[in-house]
Every structure is written in structure tokens, then in C-alpha cells.
């Protein structure tokens, strides 16, 4: 009853859209032993509060329009059902609903209505890095990199690691805009190389020259003496950048090990890279990949152990960031999502950005097919049923490279990771260590090593002694394809 009175007082005090959106609501009781009709109305007002935040904060016109219509409809429903409320709070709740409804109606013209007369351009990105305004939800990592590269007099080399397709490349491609003019970031993907050290250093030099407008050394001479010429090139660059820092971002850094094994790169390649860092405090490297340096099987990376900060993990997106990606892929995006569809997508993906984008991409494609290919009119709002239809369609086929990639990574490092995943695939809610050990037949040390590796790479989650596969869609894929 105290929470009820406290919340009603907050709701009553808010009379404009901006003050409604700013309300911080205490958690409602999970079971309503008293005044269940009142709590239903309170939940309705809470939904209106969240929609008001969307109306004021979304960049998508359609997301704002649908949220407004949804909120006004909910307030109208609360007023229509007023007779079901206890008399003590009936008048207050009706007054709140009327006040909020008038406040939202005052901004209705500003929000506007949306009419869709042609196929919707699909704004979601699958497979490619996300850049510009579409890049959302990595503020914590960006601030960390700002501390290391802008607020420090000595640039720090770093390792970004994380789950497959978690957004590491997108971070590297967007960080320069976040940091401004104080740091220049040169991006090179090592996975595309099949040649030797000259090819790698020439590509890095090309990127540096293009970004900083510095002339390139002679290519033929460069390839003959790559390390020497790259060092000379860096000295020239250092004179030009003056107070600006230079970050050389090497994506898919595990490729270095593969190139060394193929004799394309010398075994001391990392030592050579470290020598460039030692030239100046204004130079640092950013390595991005699936692993930390310590996890790599060979000792090629040993020279950099003392030169990098603790590895920075790129984890899952929050539920709020996931909703923001879905609602605001483009300012003119004319489609929207029911709140329950948001929740379902987050529960299926756990905020894995590639899977979020893939579901949304398939939803738009399905909408266009229904509306403009088959001629079946429908609301421009995605529901839980739409999400289910997409998942039960070609989704797992479309996302097969992600699923097989995570499964393949579980075959590396600590043994028996895949054995653990096979057991967990049959437990949607997870299970405890005792059940896992009994079912897999592993000894305690082997089980702990497998679990530690899977947890470090965000494949599993452990909470309160319960262990489960983090991404529900991956659990479903393992159950369908590996059991």
C-alpha cells in the first residue's frame, strides 16, 4: 500500500510529457493481494510512462507516432474501466489519466501520423560493421578508450575481445568520431592478408597516409625492406601529428598466428610491432579478436604482455540499447514494435547485436512481402507473433555462419566445451554443476576449465549456481543441429 500511495503521488505531480517521462517508478509487487484492479491500472500507467519516454527520445517518426497512439489508447482504456477500480483511488487514477491524455494530445500534431504506401527500405545491417548514427550502446567501452587514449599523456595499447559478431569492428570504426581530433585511428583487417610482412606494413602505411595526408614511401623499396621503411614512415608521421596520438587498430589479430605458421610473417613479428610502440608515447596498437593475448596457444604474443592494459571485453547490449537499435534504425523508419516484441527479441538474443539486427532485418522483409507482394494489409507494428514467424522461418539458415562460428570456437582452447553445450541445450532454464558433471561424465577440473572458457567468451551465464547458454537462439540451434 505504501508503494501504491508513493507511486500515485508521483503520477499526480507529473502534468507534462517531459515530467511524465522523468518519473522513476519503484518495482511493483509481483503478486497483488490487495486491489488487483488498481494494480492493473498502475501497470497501464507505467506502460504510458515508458511510451512517453519513447515519444520524446526516439529519432524514428513512426516509433514516436505509434508510441503516442498506444499511450493515448491505454489512457482512454483506463478511463473507460474506471468503474472497476476501488472507490478510494478511483477519482485520483481517473484524474491522472485525464491529465496525461491531455498532455500527450497537445503534442500529437508535432508527432504526426505515418502512412506507408511503398515497400519499406530495410535499414538494419547484417554482416557488415555498423557506423555513424546506427552505432548504439557501447558508451562504457568508448569512455574507457577515451581514458586510455585522450586523458593519458602516454597512449596505451589495448586488446578488445569478445563473442563472435559482438561489434568489435564497429567499435574500432567509430571510435575516431567519438574521440575527436586528438587521436587518429588507423583500421586494418588482418584476415584479408595472405602475403608477407611487407604487404601488412604497406597496407598500414596506406591507411596512415590517407588519413593524415602523408606521402607514401616507394612501394618497391618498401617491400624489399618493410620493417626499416615502416619505421622511417612512422618517424615522418610523428613529426606531422605533433600533439595528436596515433592508434593502429589491427582487427582479427589471431590471423597473425596463422600467418606465422604459414611462414608469411616472421616469428618475432610482435616484437617488431612493439618496437614501433617504443618509438613514441604517441603510438599505440589496438588488437581486436575472439581471444585475449594470454589465451593464444603460441608465445608469439609474449612481447606485448607488458605493453597492453587488461583486455577490454565487448559484451552483450543492454535491453535498453537493444530497444533503441530496434526503434531507431533511421529517422524516417515507418515501422514500430509492441513492447512485448522488444522483450521477446531481447530474451531470444540476450542483446547479441548481430542477432538483433538479423531478426529486425527479417521482420522488415516479411512486412514488405505481406503488404506489397501478397497484398495482405496489416498494421505497421511488429508483434510477438511476427517475431515467432521469423524465427520459425529461414532465420537459422540465414544466421548459420554465426551459429557454426560460435560452435567451432567452442572446439578450441579448453577441451569438452561442446560436450557441456550439448547438455545445456536440453535445459532452457539451465542446470547446476552437479547435473552437468553427472551428465557429461567429466571430472571437476575438466568441467571447471570448460565452464570458465565458455563463460569468458559469453557463451554461458552462471548465476546463483545455475548455468545456462546465454543466447537462447544459440541454445535452440545446438539442440536442433548437434544432438
Amino acid at each position: 500500500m505504501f508503494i501504491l500511495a508513493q507511486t500515485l503521488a508521483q503520477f499526480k505531480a507529473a502534468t507534462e510529457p517531459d515530467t511524465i517521462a522523468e518519473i522513476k517508478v519503484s518495482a511493483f509487487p509481483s503478486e497483488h493481494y490487495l486491489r488487483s484492479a488498481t494494480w492493473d491500472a498502475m501497470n497501464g500507467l507505467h506502460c504510458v510512462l515508458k511510451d512517453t519516454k519513447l515519444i520524446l527520445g526516439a529519432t524514428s517518426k513512426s516509433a514516436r507516432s505509434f508510441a503516442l497512439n498506444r499511450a493515448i489508447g491505454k489512457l482512454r482504456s483506463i478511463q473507460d474501466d474506471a468503474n472497476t477500480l476501488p472507490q478510494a483511488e478511483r477519482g485520483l487514477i481517473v484524474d491522472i489519466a485525464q491529465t496525461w491524455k491531455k498532455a500527450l494530445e497537445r503534442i500529437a500534431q508535432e508527432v504526426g501520423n505515418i502512412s506507408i504506401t511503398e515497400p519499406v527500405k530495410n535499414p538494419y545491417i547484417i554482416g557488415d560493421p555498423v557506423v555513424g548514427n546506427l552505432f548504439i550502446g557501447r558508451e562504457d567501452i568508448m569512455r574507457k578508450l577515451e581514458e586510455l587514449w585522450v586523458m593519458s599523456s602516454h597512449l596505451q595499447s589495448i586488446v578488445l575481445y569478445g563473442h563472435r559478431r559482438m561489434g568489435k569492428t564497429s567499435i574500432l570504426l567509430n571510435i575516431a568520431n567519438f574521440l575527436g581530433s586528438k587521436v587518429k585511428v588507423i583500421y586494418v583487417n588482418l584476415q584479408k592478408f595472405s602475403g608477407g610482412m611487407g604487404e601488412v606494413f604497406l597496407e598500414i602505411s596506406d591507411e596512415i597516409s590517407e588519413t593524415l595526408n602523408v606521402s607514401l614511401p616507394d612501394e618497391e623499396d618498401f617491400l624489399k625492406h618493410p620493417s626499416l621503411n615502416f619505421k622511417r614512415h612512422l618517424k615522418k608521421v610523428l613529426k606531422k601529428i605533433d600533439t595528436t596520438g596515433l592508434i593502429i587498430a589491427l582487427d582479427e589479430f589471431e590471423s597473425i598466428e596463422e600467418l606465422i605458421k604459414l611462414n608469411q610473417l616472421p616469428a618475432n613479428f610482435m616484437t617488431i610491432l612493439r618496437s614501433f610502440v617504443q618509438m613514441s608515447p604517441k603510438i599505440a596498437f589496438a588488437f581486436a579478436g575472439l581471444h585475449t593475448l594470454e589465451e593464444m596457444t603460441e608465445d608469439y604474443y609474449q612481447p606485448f604482455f607488458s605493453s597492453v592494459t587488461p583486455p577490454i571485453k565487448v559484451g552483450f547490449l543492454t535491453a535498453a540499447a537493444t530497444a533503441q537499435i530496434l526503434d531507431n534504425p533511421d529517422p524516417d523508419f515507418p515501422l514500430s514494435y509492441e513492447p512485448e516484441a522488444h522483450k521477446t527479441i531481447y530474451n531470444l538474443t540476450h542483446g547479441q547485436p548481430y542477432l538483433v539486427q538479423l531478426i529486425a532485418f527479417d521482420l522488415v522483409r516479411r512486412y514488405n512481402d505481406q503488404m506489397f507482394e501478397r497484398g495482405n494489409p496489416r498494421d505497421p507494428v511488429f508483434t510477438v507473433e511476427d517475431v515467432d514467424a521469423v524465427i520459425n522461418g529461414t532465420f537459422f539458415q540465414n544466421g548459420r555462419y554465426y551459429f557454426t562460428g560460435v560452435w567451432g570456437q567452442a572446439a578450441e582452447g579448453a577441451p569438452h566445451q561442446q560436450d557441456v553445450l550439448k547438455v545445456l541445450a536440453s535445459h532452457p532454464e539451465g542446470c547446476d554443476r552437479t547435473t552437468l558433471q553427472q551428465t557429461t561424465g567429466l571430472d571437476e577440473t575438466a568441467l571447471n576449465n570448460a565452464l570458465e572458457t565458455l563463460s569468458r567468451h559469453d557463451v554461458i551465464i552462471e548465476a546463483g549456481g545455475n548455468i545456462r547458454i546465454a543466447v537462447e537462439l544459440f541454445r535452440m540451434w545446438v539442440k536442433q543441429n548437434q544432438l
Side-chain angles (χ1 to χ4, degrees):
M1 293 302 295
F2 173 75
I3 294 174
L4 175 60
Q6 182 186 51
T7 308
L8 282 170
Q10 288 179 285
F11 287 176
K12 174 64 176 174
T15 59
E16 296 296 331
D18 56 346
T19 55
I20 296 170
E22 290 173 359
I23 296 174
K24 306 294 183 184
V25 180
S26 301
F28 290 169
S30 56
E31 294 187 55
H32 306 139
Y33 295 109
L34 297 172
R35 288 173 158 75
S36 59
T38 300
W39 284 110
D40 288 342
M42 296 296 285
N43 282 320
L45 290 171
H46 190 209
C47 289
V48 172
L49 186 159
K50 291 191 288 187
D51 274 332
T52 303
K53 290 182 180 179
L54 184 58
I55 294 165
L56 299 180
T59 58
S60 167
K61 294 178 182 177
S62 63
R64 299 177 68 205
S65 176
F66 295 134
L68 178 64
N69 292 334
R70 197 162 53 229
I72 290 176
K74 177 61 71 175
L75 292 170
R76 189 178 292 119
S77 175
I78 291 172
Q79 290 177 277
D80 292 343
D81 295 336
N83 290 334
T84 66
L85 297 171
Q87 187 172 0
E89 55 263 26
R90 181 187 304 163
L92 181 56
I93 290 177
V94 169
D95 186 47
I96 292 169
Q98 289 176 337
T99 300
W100 286 15
K101 181 168 173 287
K102 289 178 181 178
L104 294 179
E105 286 173 341
R106 284 197 293 271
I107 63 172
Q109 186 173 358
E110 173 192 339
V111 174
N113 294 314
I114 301 295
S115 177
I116 303 174
T117 58
E118 58 184 25
V120 175
K121 181 181 178 181
N122 206 321
Y124 297 105
I125 299 172
I126 52 173
D128 295 324
V130 177
V131 295
N133 294 333
L134 297 178
F135 180 71
I136 292 170
R138 297 301 186 187
E139 292 82 4
D140 56 337
I141 294 177
M142 293 301 200
R143 284 193 295 269
K144 178 66 175 177
L145 295 179
E146 184 178 30
E147 290 175 10
L148 296 171
W149 293 344
V150 175
M151 300 179 182
S152 173
S153 59
H154 193 295
L155 268 65
Q156 300 292 315
S157 293
I158 60 102
V159 173
L160 286 177
Y161 80 101
H163 195 65
R164 191 173 297 274
R165 300 200 178 196
M166 194 67 90
K168 301 179 290 294
T169 301
S170 296
I171 291 172
L172 295 179
L173 293 176
N174 285 276
I175 187 63
N177 291 332
F178 183 87
L179 298 179
S181 61
K182 294 183 179 180
V183 175
K184 299 296 183 181
V185 181
I186 309 303
Y187 173 84
V188 174
N189 189 327
L190 293 175
Q191 201 170 43
K192 68 180 182 179
F193 292 108
S194 58
M197 187 164 61
E199 182 184 350
V200 174
F201 284 157
L202 187 60
E203 176 70 15
I204 296 174
S205 297
D206 267 341
E207 293 297 328
I208 292 174
S209 297
E210 185 174 339
T211 301
L212 300 177
N213 193 27
V214 179
S215 60
L216 267 173
D218 178 73
E219 182 173 330
E220 184 177 348
D221 185 51
F222 194 104
L223 294 174
K224 288 180 181 177
H225 308 284
S227 179
L228 176 62
N229 280 295
F230 185 64
K231 185 176 182 178
R232 289 173 177 170
H233 189 55
L234 282 181
K235 286 182 178 180
K236 185 192 302 183
V237 168
L238 286 170
K239 292 179 181 178
K240 183 176 180 63
I241 61 177
D242 193 21
T243 60
T244 305
L246 176 65
I247 304 297
I248 301 173
L250 302 181
D251 204 357
E252 305 287 354
F253 80 91
E254 290 93 345
S255 299
I256 293 173
E257 186 169 313
E258 296 302 316
L259 291 170
I260 290 174
K261 289 179 177 178
L262 293 171
N263 294 319
Q264 299 296 326
L265 291 177
N268 67 339
F269 181 72
M270 294 298 287
T271 302
I272 296 171
L273 289 187
R274 187 169 182 268
S275 70
F276 300 138
V277 173
Q278 294 171 326
M279 288 173 54
S280 170
K282 294 188 291 184
I283 298 177
F285 283 89
F287 301 101
L290 301 175
H291 306 87
T292 64
L293 295 183
E294 290 79 3
E295 288 180 308
M296 302 305 292
T297 57
E298 302 291 345
D299 62 359
Y300 305 129
Y301 301 93
Q302 186 77 28
F304 256 95
F305 284 1
S306 61
S307 300
V308 299
T309 63
I312 299 172
K313 186 175 185 178
V314 181
F316 295 106
L317 296 169
T318 63
T322 299
Q324 192 175 357
I325 286 174
L326 294 170
D327 287 329
N328 301 299
D330 184 272
D332 297 318
F333 185 58
L335 305 174
S336 186
Y337 295 77
E338 286 187 349
E340 283 303 309
H342 277 166
K343 184 177 179 180
T344 298
I345 292 173
Y346 184 75
N347 289 341
L348 286 169
T349 64
H350 198 65
Q352 208 291 329
Y354 167 74
L355 295 178
V356 171
Q357 295 271 2
L358 182 57
I359 290 175
F361 185 90
D362 284 352
L363 284 170
V364 174
R365 185 162 55 185
R366 181 172 182 269
Y367 174 86
N368 285 335
D369 179 66
Q370 288 177 311
M371 280 285 291
F372 301 103
E373 296 296 327
R374 303 185 185 186
N376 298 328
R378 55 156 295 164
D379 289 336
V381 181
F382 295 128
T383 65
V384 173
E385 289 73 22
D386 289 318
V387 177
D388 290 340
V390 162
I391 299 302
N392 293 326
T394 61
F395 180 82
F396 288 102
Q397 175 65 18
N398 296 340
R400 63 190 180 280
Y401 295 117
Y402 166 81
F403 297 114
T404 56
V406 176
W407 179 253
Q409 186 183 351
E412 303 170 359
H416 306 296
Q417 294 177 64
Q418 291 182 342
D419 296 329
V420 170
L421 292 175
K422 287 180 180 180
V423 174
L424 290 176
S426 298
H427 296 269
E429 303 302 321
C431 62
D432 57 28
R433 285 177 179 252
T434 301
T435 302
L436 267 177
Q437 189 167 358
Q438 290 174 346
T439 310
T440 60
L442 299 175
D443 61 52
E444 186 175 357
T445 299
L447 178 62
N448 287 340
N449 288 340
L451 290 175
E452 195 277 331
T453 302
L454 289 168
S455 177
R456 188 168 61 249
H457 291 284
D458 281 332
V459 183
I460 63 169
I461 294 174
E462 183 172 7
N466 188 63
I467 303 166
R468 65 180 178 87
I469 293 177
V471 177
E472 170 63 10
L473 288 168
F474 180 61
R475 185 199 67 80
M476 294 164 63
W477 180 88
V478 173
K479 186 173 182 181
Q480 292 173 10
N481 296 273
Q482 301 300 331
L483 298 187

